[in-house]
Amino acid sequence: MDLTALRTAHPEHWMKAAAIRALTLDAVAAANSGHSGMPMGMADVATVLFTNHLNFDPAAPHWADRDRFILSAGHGSMLLYALLYLTGYEDFPLEQIKNFRKWGARTAGHPEFGHGRGIEVTTGPLGQGIANSVGFAIAEEIQRATWGTAIVNHNTYVMAGDGCLMEGISQEAIGLAGMQELSHLIVFFDDNNITIDGKVSIADKTNQMERFAASGWHVQAIDGHNPDEIEAAIVAAKADKRPSMIACKTHIALGHAAQDTSKGHGALTDADQMKAAKAAYGWTTGPFEVPADVKAQWEATAQRGKTAHAEWQARVEKLSAAKQAEFARAQGGEAPKKLASTIRAFKKQASEEAKSVATRKSSENVLAVINPIMPETIGGSADLTGSNNTKTADMGVFTPDNRKGRYIHYGIREHGMAAAMNGMALHGGARAYGGTFMCFTDYARGAMRLSALMGVPAVYVMTHDSIGLGEDGPTHQPVEHLSMLRATPNTNVFRPADSVETAEAWELALTATGTPSVLALSRQNLPTVRTAHTNKNMTAQGGYVLADAEGKRQVILIATGSEVEIALKARDALQAEGIGTRVVSMPCMDIFLAQDEATRRKVLPAGPVRVAIEAGVRQSWDMILMGERGNAKKAAFVGMEGFGASAPAEVLYEKFGITAENVVAQAKNLL
Amino acid sequence: MDLTALRTAHPEHWMKAAAIRALTLDAVAAANSGHSGMPMGMADVATVLFTNHLNFDPAAPHWADRDRFILSAGHGSMLLYALLYLTGYEDFPLEQIKNFRKWGARTAGHPEFGHGRGIEVTTGPLGQGIANSVGFAIAEEIQRATWGTAIVNHNTYVMAGDGCLMEGISQEAIGLAGMQELSHLIVFFDDNNITIDGKVSIADKTNQMERFAASGWHVQAIDGHNPDEIEAAIVAAKADKRPSMIACKTHIALGHAAQDTSKGHGALTDADQMKAAKAAYGWTTGPFEVPADVKAQWEATAQRGKTAHAEWQARVEKLSAAKQAEFARAQGGEAPKKLASTIRAFKKQASEEAKSVATRKSSENVLAVINPIMPETIGGSADLTGSNNTKTADMGVFTPDNRKGRYIHYGIREHGMAAAMNGMALHGGARAYGGTFMCFTDYARGAMRLSALMGVPAVYVMTHDSIGLGEDGPTHQPVEHLSMLRATPNTNVFRPADSVETAEAWELALTATGTPSVLALSRQNLPTVRTAHTNKNMTAQGGYVLADAEGKRQVILIATGSEVEIALKARDALQAEGIGTRVVSMPCMDIFLAQDEATRRKVLPAGPVRVAIEAGVRQSWDMILMGERGNAKKAAFVGMEGFGASAPAEVLYEKFGITAENVVAQAKNLL
């Protein structure tokens, strides 16, 4: 590359981009780790985007109608941090750049949502950002249709590399975005032909332009170091009615000795090579020093966004007070006031009617009363709408022809769905829930973990939550998944026993602000076990006494979901033999274990025999059975030890010994 | 559709295909569950394939050079079962068809590998089969290059639906297969335009032909009910040097009232509609009754394969006895005799040298002595070769120009890699291992669970196994993953503490016949803790006494991997205070818990305080700490409670309290 020619052609642009490159070199060198090559390769694209297009306001990083910038290639975090520092975000002073990858810094190895205002989303696990962006863009489409372009009208810009595009999740995102014609979504593909192991061609020869075009995208290929081409491509992308992909041919680690090599992907810390690269850029200041004029030019790029922000604010203020409040409420992730009374009314009716109903159906019934009062919900399913019971009559289906629709047919794309849900929640103004079979949390894990890590209150509606699904067999029967999800930090796993607990779980899920929820729901019908109405949300305690012992308390049975019915039957049998038996329903173990000790002790006092019943593996139950004032010698578990099988549900429960008879036998054996 | 015209044009073909359709209707009706539409839609393609091309021998279902038939759309299991019954597989008599989806039947809801000979792979979770098939085809390519076409020369045929192709894993498979020019791989795309939620277009408008072509595939589109077109397409596909995709335009549930609808996807059990469909087929026999002439025609389709099998056998017998034995050994999944002595020699040297080395590097060192004596290993990494240390000098890289290479650059495709590994192992003659960062087991979960369910002894080399990876931060730091994997049935999770345990773990992983292994390996250097050589594989006990207490045994410290070093330091400090402390290294908790009680009791006697140390969450440790003769009041855990952070590893260990000092404090607190 002839850097001098580039520099001469666009001197101001060049120095602004050089600032990103120099800061990247300095920060990676100081940390002695990180990824230099991507920021150095994509600096020109970022500079044109921020200078001429991206509407952002460093003084109001969370302004609702800002354009979103998503660094899907999260290892290039210094690109983002440099931009946030250069444009003047308060949370990213130079000190943060100097402390890149150090304990307590906002400038973590990969961008971490919540570490500092200006980071839209946590990225690093490849492919997530591009899939998140589909959620961002869908949320924007729905809100634009709902509120009008005066209030919502912005773009979502993404930078993705070969890694993002090789990950399967990218195909799910590309397919969904193409079908949905998300015109405000623009992806820059950092087409540098380099991965960690070598040239891209050692693992992939896909023509990415053709691949995106096959799914209905607008595609362009440009020289990613030519500001004029970058500018023209962005203008064309914004004008097109389809989602746009701009393949930017770039040189990884531009101007460095490691340019165009795998080595350039990683940490470039050699002092002499850094010096040479900076010289090639015409960068003469010391480490972490950005010339005042360059810094001023960068800060000036924010002016367009500041003006847009002010104009937007004026338009918002023309809305009625009620509309303003409603907009602010939804954007703030606050549940409507009516939610609590709606849930209470539902619970009362469910307790009184005491129907036998599958909790997946209970969930649908709850949604039928919630969705009309929470216009910010966006529901969907990975092609199992009728099985997950996720669609309610009022929602409308989101399509290119119906932008106010709030139900998404995600297709058979669990991972893409979960990542899109994260994007919707992070966009703001949206409460996303989506369904698939519980077993296929396996496919969505990558994004579900990020919900937990980011504290995104997405709601995963996971039906068919055990061998109780029957004939589909072990590929579809979760056994380890409840323990797996409980092992995941900051994830609330709800497994309600009936309609009442299902309503309570939904209330908690929809009022959560920093925790995702998983609702594990049955395929099979379950009796109503909460036949006495309480206004109190008992699920909010995680576990509670559903039926207490009569006479001396000798046994405590603890169960969740479909197994609470079994526990109650076992209690009847034990009580009939004069054995005082308490039944604890534990719809959310995570929440229970977070209660104060007095509460936990009341539910699980020391002394009695404990038998836990759940149609899954034992692992997460060990703490309930043996910790929490328990005793290994007086504890038993009735559940699964291995994978399930294909047969009718009732046969499976019998064959695997998850029966009231077995519970009774286990309890008596320990007495 | 004018079924009469189809029937008249190809009467024998038609009735053979009708047999599949009728058996499907009957079996689904008897089970009152299942998926009728796919087998009814793809019956013509299957009939042409089996009649004219597929080399199979029902009398020798596992003959090494057979063609493979993989039903990626596993919900259409009745297609496979019908074919196995009709062509005369011993494990699939009519009784099995009648017991479809019943307890104990080989004919599970989805095809389950191991249930009956003739099922090549477990499918059902969508997209897996097509990704497995890439592994099948790679194994075939390598073995064909190695043994010559006289011994290995077969095709892998796959049937995949829209669901398979919407799943992201399919893109990983398509990209890898295209780059690798897997000419013996032929995918039939059941292009019926229907998914469970409705028409495919409600979720996807991808032009699949263009998508496959973008990755270098040979593509054709045909009428999937026209035997002539099917035949011509297969002939063309076999002739092409690229992997082939044949888009078969079909009618789901052909000839049934539910044809071309979502309803047709599911269980079609209405008696009148069944009757009408059978009448339209010209099918006049009763339920489960196949006319003798049709059955005979189906059985005759096996003749080509039987002849091919016999000819192949004759060619094999011309090989030297040593070569025959070697071929049989590798195909049988038997480790070479030299493995044990090689591992012992490695261990001896490692104990003597007592180097400080990261276990990911130890793993590479082990592979360097194993790979040369195990030509059946196929290694690889999801673009982290230098980080996972998975490549050894002797392997050669598998490319279109080097078919004998045994190292795969999988690209950034963890899920596709894991599924391909399953395919290689199931193909036979291959021992597959592959690496990524431990945290990205999340991406591979779908396929890793299937390794466990099928009992495939794949080896997952998961490096960077804790916060010990440092600056990359929480997106890259596993914390819940060890517990998650331990919760998964039939999965051995090894977390070796040094080079010696790493060698032992590899020996167990490579001699396993029915269990996948996960090797959790450190990024950071670890001291050799097994400095006294033993021939015995101590890891085979799961956990063992590494350093016993001096004096009265008051404390047992139990640790894995990188935390064994911390346990030993804590022991030194405790012993210095006169507190007798045992250190148990537990490189595989799964194996330890499967030992007899006497063995477990010797390692973990009742009485002493127990402190477990692992840089992950506690969940899986509860059994070791409180069960196994433990006591909740005398147990503590030193590990992680939430997600990690971005900082140098030593800072993180200090900040999260995973230190010898904290272990000592915890132990003393409990005494």
Side-chain angles (χ1 to χ4, degrees):
Chain A
M1 291 297 290
D2 182 353
L3 301 197
T4 311
L6 289 176
R7 184 178 163 194
T8 315
H10 300 88
E12 184 175 321
H13 165 88
W14 177 260
M15 290 309 282
K16 280 161 74 182
I20 295 171
R21 294 184 170 112
L23 287 171
T24 296
L25 284 168
D26 293 338
V28 170
N32 198 28
S33 86
H35 299 265
S36 313
M38 187 278 180
M40 292 164 72
M42 286 296 276
D44 294 301
V45 174
T47 300
V48 174
L49 175 66
F50 273 65
T51 301
N52 299 347
H53 295 277
L54 194 82
N55 279 334
F56 65 100
D57 182 354
H62 292 169
W63 157 45
D65 200 33
R66 70 195 181 278
D67 288 333
R68 278 21 175 218
F69 175 67
I70 295 170
L71 187 70
S72 190
H75 53 277
S77 55
M78 263 311 299
L79 179 73
L80 177 61
Y81 301 147
L83 288 162
L84 295 175
Y85 160 64
L86 290 166
T87 54
Y89 281 74
E90 191 185 340
D91 282 352
F92 292 90
L94 191 58
E95 235 17 64
Q96 287 292 333
I97 307 296
K98 290 182 177 170
N99 283 313
F100 181 51
R101 290 180 158 237
K102 301 265 170 55
W103 177 263
R106 297 198 175 104
T107 46
H110 294 79
E112 299 285 343
F113 176 73
H115 276 213
R117 289 164 300 166
I119 299 173
E120 299 282 4
V121 54
T122 296
T123 51
L126 293 171
Q128 294 292 332
I130 189 171
N132 298 144
S133 75
V134 174
F136 275 91
I138 289 174
E140 196 267 346
E141 288 279 0
I142 294 174
Q143 291 172 33
R144 179 153 36 89
T146 306
W147 292 91
T149 51
I151 307 301
V152 179
N153 190 15
H154 53 266
N155 293 308
T156 301
Y157 296 98
V158 185
M159 284 190 181
D162 287 293
C164 293
L165 298 194
M166 272 197 249
E167 292 287 1
I169 189 175
S170 67
Q171 183 64 27
E172 302 185 16
I174 292 165
L176 183 57
M179 177 270 154
Q180 290 288 2
E181 300 174 20
L182 301 175
S183 62
H184 284 214
L185 175 60
I186 296 172
V187 173
F188 301 98
F189 163 38
D190 180 12
D191 186 11
N192 61 28
N193 194 30
I194 291 294
T195 70
I196 291 174
D197 272 7
K199 289 201 183 302
V200 168
S201 57
I202 66 169
D204 196 31
K205 290 179 180 162
T206 298
N207 182 320
Q208 298 292 357
M209 303 273 288
E210 292 176 12
R211 176 185 168 210
F212 277 75
S215 288
W217 285 57
H218 171 241
V219 294
Q220 304 173 76
I222 61 166
D223 174 354
H225 298 300
N226 182 324
D228 299 328
E229 290 192 29
I230 299 165
E231 171 65 16
I234 298 174
V235 169
K238 285 164 86 170
D240 202 273
K241 298 268 179 229
R242 295 164 289 178
S244 253
M245 187 276 257
I246 305 171
C248 308
K249 186 55 85 179
T250 63
H251 296 276
I252 197 166
L254 182 83
H256 189 278
Q259 179 185 312
D260 298 327
T261 69
S262 281
K263 192 175 174 306
H265 186 280
L268 303 176
T269 56
D270 180 276
D272 290 339
Q273 290 179 346
M274 277 175 63
K275 203 173 152 187
K278 287 187 180 180
Y281 301 153
W283 192 263
T284 54
T285 50
F288 298 108
E289 258 183 68
V290 178
D293 60 330
V294 177
K295 184 72 165 74
Q297 286 157 6
W298 265 115
E299 287 176 10
T301 63
Q303 192 51 54
R304 184 186 53 263
K306 285 175 188 292
T307 305
H309 181 198
E311 291 168 357
W312 174 83
Q313 189 62 42
R315 292 194 299 273
V316 167
E317 283 164 15
K318 284 187 196 150
L319 295 176
S320 70
K323 279 206 160 188
Q324 286 186 51
E326 174 62 10
F327 187 78
R329 180 193 68 74
Q331 293 290 326
E334 199 184 319
K337 290 209 171 59
K338 274 171 75 177
L339 179 63
S341 59
T342 304
I343 293 286
R344 278 199 303 274
F346 180 94
K347 283 169 57 180
K348 189 157 188 293
Q349 189 178 345
S351 293
E352 286 167 5
E353 293 181 354
K355 285 183 184 163
S356 180
V357 53
T359 47
R360 61 180 172 135
K361 180 66 182 170
S362 306
S363 172
E364 181 182 343
N365 295 340
V366 176
L367 288 170
V369 297
I370 290 174
N371 280 331
I373 63 161
M374 285 189 83
E376 66 268 36
T377 55
I378 303 179
S381 164
D383 197 47
L384 290 168
T385 295
S387 298
N388 300 145
N389 300 69
T390 33
K391 186 163 178 286
T392 61
D394 62 306
M395 302 192 98
V397 174
F398 179 75
T399 67
D401 298 326
N402 183 22
R403 290 316 206 192
K404 288 190 185 175
R406 289 153 57 203
Y407 190 81
I408 318 285
H409 286 293
Y410 284 104
I412 300 108
R413 302 177 175 120
E414 298 81 9
H415 203 180
M417 174 176 74
M421 287 163 60
N422 283 338
M424 291 171 192
L426 291 167
H427 176 277
R431 279 266 171 191
Y433 70 82
T436 184
F437 288 163
M438 180 74 172
C439 210
F440 302 133
T441 54
D442 284 346
Y443 278 52
R445 263 295 302 174
M448 291 176 74
R449 184 179 205 251
L450 283 164
S451 304
L453 179 57
M454 293 190 278
V456 163
V459 187
Y460 295 98
V461 182
M462 299 311 200
T463 71
H464 298 61
D465 69 348
S466 75
I467 55 165
L469 64 84
E471 292 88 344
D472 274 348
T475 55
H476 285 53
Q477 291 162 353
V479 294
E480 69 273 42
H481 299 78
L482 291 165
S483 282
M484 282 172 46
L485 290 163
R486 289 175 185 141
T488 307
N490 194 37
T491 300
N492 284 337
V493 183
F494 295 97
R495 192 161 185 258
D498 67 3
S499 291
V500 177
E501 284 190 1
T502 303
E504 292 177 341
W506 266 113
E507 182 176 26
L508 296 166
L510 292 173
T511 52
T513 53
T515 304
S517 299
V518 178
L519 271 57
L521 303 173
S522 75
R523 178 191 184 211
Q524 69 275 34
N525 284 346
L526 305 180
T528 298
V529 296
R530 287 271 294 282
T531 48
H533 174 65
T534 59
N535 273 336
K536 191 178 169 191
N537 185 323
M538 297 305 296
T539 300
Q541 190 177 289
Y544 61 92
V545 178
L546 176 64
D548 212 347
E550 292 166 23
K552 189 188 167 206
R553 186 170 55 219
Q554 295 180 267
V555 173
I556 303 179
L557 306 177
I558 314 144
T560 73
S562 44
E563 284 71 72
V564 172
E565 176 185 9
I566 293 171
L568 289 169
K569 281 187 190 155
R571 176 181 175 275
D572 288 347
L574 287 163
Q575 289 285 166
E577 297 190 45
I579 301 168
T581 302
R582 164 181 287 190
V583 169
V584 170
S585 180
M586 193 163 288
C588 187
M589 192 189 291
D590 312 273
I591 291 179
F592 179 75
L593 290 172
Q595 301 298 299
D596 61 42
E597 202 196 327
T599 304
R600 292 179 354 248
R601 182 186 298 268
K602 264 190 216 162
V603 176
L604 296 180
V609 157
R610 294 182 187 178
V611 182
I613 313 140
E614 186 172 82
V617 300
R618 172 173 168 147
Q619 194 184 85
S620 54
W621 287 95
D622 285 333
M623 178 57 80
I624 299 293
L625 287 170
M626 304 184 295
E628 296 292 317
R629 295 155 303 283
N631 179 339
K633 290 180 187 153
K634 296 172 75 174
F637 179 71
V638 172
M640 297 294 291
E641 288 188 7
F643 294 109
S646 173
E650 55 278 14
V651 176
L652 294 175
Y653 270 85
E654 188 66 37
K655 295 286 186 185
F656 287 112
I658 307 177
T659 61
E661 293 69 33
N662 190 23
V663 173
V664 168
Q666 298 281 339
K668 286 168 72 175
N669 185 44
L670 292 168
L671 281 170
Chain B
M1 291 296 292
D2 181 353
L3 301 196
T4 311
L6 290 175
R7 185 179 162 192
T8 315
H10 300 89
E12 183 174 323
H13 165 88
W14 178 260
M15 290 309 282
K16 281 162 73 183
I20 296 171
R21 295 183 170 112
L23 287 171
T24 297
L25 284 168
D26 293 337
V28 169
N32 198 27
S33 86
H35 299 264
S36 314
M38 187 279 180
M40 292 164 72
M42 286 296 277
D44 294 301
V45 175
T47 300
V48 175
L49 175 66
F50 273 65
T51 301
N52 299 347
H53 295 277
L54 194 82
N55 279 334
F56 66 99
D57 182 354
H62 292 168
W63 156 45
D65 200 34
R66 70 194 180 280
D67 288 333
R68 271 40 168 203
F69 176 66
I70 294 169
L71 187 70
S72 190
H75 53 279
S77 54
M78 263 312 299
L79 179 73
L80 177 61
Y81 302 146
L83 289 161
L84 295 174
Y85 159 64
L86 289 166
T87 55
Y89 281 75
E90 190 185 340
D91 283 352
F92 292 89
L94 191 58
E95 234 19 62
Q96 288 291 333
I97 307 295
K98 291 181 177 172
N99 284 313
F100 180 51
R101 291 182 160 236
K102 300 265 170 54
W103 176 262
R106 296 196 174 106
T107 45
H110 295 79
E112 300 284 344
F113 175 74
H115 276 213
R117 288 165 300 166
I119 299 174
E120 298 281 4
V121 53
T122 296
T123 50
L126 292 170
Q128 295 292 332
I130 189 171
N132 298 145
S133 75
V134 175
F136 274 92
I138 289 175
E140 195 267 349
E141 287 280 0
I142 293 175
Q143 291 172 32
R144 178 153 37 89
T146 307
W147 292 91
T149 52
I151 306 302
V152 179
N153 190 16
H154 53 267
N155 293 308
T156 301
Y157 296 99
V158 186
M159 284 191 182
D162 286 293
C164 294
L165 299 194
M166 272 198 249
E167 291 288 3
I169 189 175
S170 67
Q171 183 63 28
E172 302 185 15
I174 292 165
L176 183 57
M179 177 270 153
Q180 290 289 2
E181 299 173 21
L182 301 175
S183 63
H184 284 215
L185 175 61
I186 297 173
V187 173
F188 301 98
F189 163 37
D190 180 11
D191 187 11
N192 60 27
N193 194 31
I194 291 295
T195 69
I196 291 174
D197 272 8
K199 290 203 183 300
V200 168
S201 57
I202 65 169
D204 196 32
K205 290 180 181 163
T206 298
N207 182 319
Q208 298 292 357
M209 303 274 289
E210 292 176 11
R211 176 186 168 208
F212 277 75
S215 288
W217 285 57
H218 170 241
V219 293
Q220 304 173 78
I222 61 167
D223 174 354
H225 299 300
N226 182 325
D228 299 328
E229 289 192 27
I230 299 166
E231 171 64 18
I234 298 174
V235 169
K238 285 164 86 170
D240 201 274
K241 298 267 179 229
R242 295 163 289 177
S244 252
M245 187 276 259
I246 305 171
C248 308
K249 187 52 87 179
T250 63
H251 296 276
I252 197 165
L254 182 82
H256 189 277
Q259 179 184 312
D260 299 327
T261 69
S262 282
K263 193 176 172 306
H265 187 279
L268 303 176
T269 56
D270 180 275
D272 290 339
Q273 291 179 345
M274 278 175 63
K275 202 174 153 187
K278 287 187 180 178
Y281 302 153
W283 191 261
T284 55
T285 51
F288 298 109
E289 260 183 66
V290 178
D293 61 328
V294 177
K295 184 72 165 75
Q297 286 157 6
W298 264 116
E299 287 176 9
T301 63
Q303 192 50 55
R304 183 186 55 263
K306 286 176 187 292
T307 304
H309 181 199
E311 290 168 358
W312 174 82
Q313 190 62 42
R315 292 194 299 273
V316 166
E317 282 163 15
K318 283 186 195 150
L319 295 176
S320 70
K323 279 206 161 191
Q324 286 187 52
E326 175 62 8
F327 186 78
R329 181 194 68 73
Q331 292 292 327
E334 198 185 320
K337 291 209 172 57
K338 274 171 75 178
L339 179 63
S341 59
T342 303
I343 293 287
R344 279 200 302 273
F346 180 94
K347 283 169 57 180
K348 188 157 190 294
Q349 190 178 344
S351 292
E352 285 167 5
E353 292 181 354
K355 285 184 183 163
S356 179
V357 54
T359 47
R360 61 180 171 136
K361 179 69 182 168
S362 306
S363 172
E364 181 182 340
N365 295 340
V366 176
L367 287 170
V369 297
I370 290 174
N371 279 331
I373 64 161
M374 283 189 85
E376 67 268 37
T377 55
I378 303 179
S381 164
D383 196 48
L384 290 168
T385 295
S387 297
N388 300 145
N389 300 71
T390 32
K391 187 165 180 284
T392 61
D394 61 307
M395 301 192 98
V397 174
F398 180 74
T399 68
D401 298 327
N402 183 21
R403 290 316 206 191
K404 288 190 185 175
R406 291 154 53 205
Y407 190 81
I408 318 285
H409 286 293
Y410 284 104
I412 299 109
R413 302 176 176 121
E414 299 80 8
H415 203 180
M417 174 176 74
M421 286 162 60
N422 283 338
M424 292 171 190
L426 291 167
H427 177 276
R431 278 267 171 190
Y433 71 84
T436 184
F437 288 163
M438 179 75 172
C439 210
F440 302 133
T441 53
D442 283 345
Y443 279 52
R445 264 294 303 172
M448 291 176 74
R449 185 179 203 251
L450 284 163
S451 304
L453 179 58
M454 292 190 280
V456 163
V459 187
Y460 295 97
V461 183
M462 299 311 199
T463 70
H464 298 59
D465 69 347
S466 75
I467 54 166
L469 65 86
E471 292 88 345
D472 274 347
T475 55
H476 285 53
Q477 291 162 354
V479 294
E480 69 273 43
H481 300 77
L482 292 165
S483 283
M484 282 172 47
L485 290 162
R486 289 176 185 140
T488 308
N490 194 36
T491 300
N492 285 337
V493 183
F494 294 98
R495 192 161 185 257
D498 67 2
S499 292
V500 177
E501 285 191 0
T502 303
E504 292 178 340
W506 266 113
E507 182 176 27
L508 295 167
L510 291 173
T511 51
T513 54
T515 303
S517 299
V518 178
L519 271 57
L521 304 173
S522 75
R523 178 191 184 210
Q524 68 274 34
N525 284 346
L526 305 180
T528 297
V529 296
R530 287 272 295 281
T531 48
H533 174 65
T534 60
N535 273 337
K536 190 178 168 191
N537 185 324
M538 297 305 295
T539 300
Q541 190 177 288
Y544 61 92
V545 179
L546 176 65
D548 212 346
E550 292 165 24
K552 188 187 167 209
R553 186 169 56 218
Q554 294 180 265
V555 174
I556 303 179
L557 305 178
I558 314 143
T560 72
S562 43
E563 284 70 72
V564 172
E565 175 185 10
I566 293 171
L568 289 169
K569 280 188 190 154
R571 175 182 176 275
D572 287 348
L574 288 163
Q575 288 286 166
E577 297 189 42
I579 301 168
T581 302
R582 164 181 286 191
V583 169
V584 170
S585 181
M586 192 163 289
C588 187
M589 192 189 292
D590 311 274
I591 292 179
F592 178 75
L593 290 172
Q595 302 298 301
D596 60 41
E597 203 197 325
T599 304
R600 289 172 5 241
R601 183 186 296 270
K602 263 189 215 162
V603 176
L604 295 179
V609 157
R610 294 182 187 178
V611 183
I613 313 140
E614 184 171 84
V617 299
R618 172 172 168 150
Q619 193 185 88
S620 54
W621 287 95
D622 285 333
M623 179 57 80
I624 300 292
L625 287 170
M626 304 186 294
E628 296 293 317
R629 295 155 302 282
N631 179 340
K633 289 178 186 153
K634 296 172 74 175
F637 179 71
V638 172
M640 298 294 290
E641 289 188 7
F643 294 110
S646 173
E650 55 278 15
V651 175
L652 294 175
Y653 270 84
E654 188 67 35
K655 295 286 185 184
F656 287 111
I658 307 176
T659 61
E661 293 69 34
N662 191 22
V663 173
V664 168
Q666 298 281 340
K668 287 168 72 175
N669 185 44
L670 292 169
L671 281 170

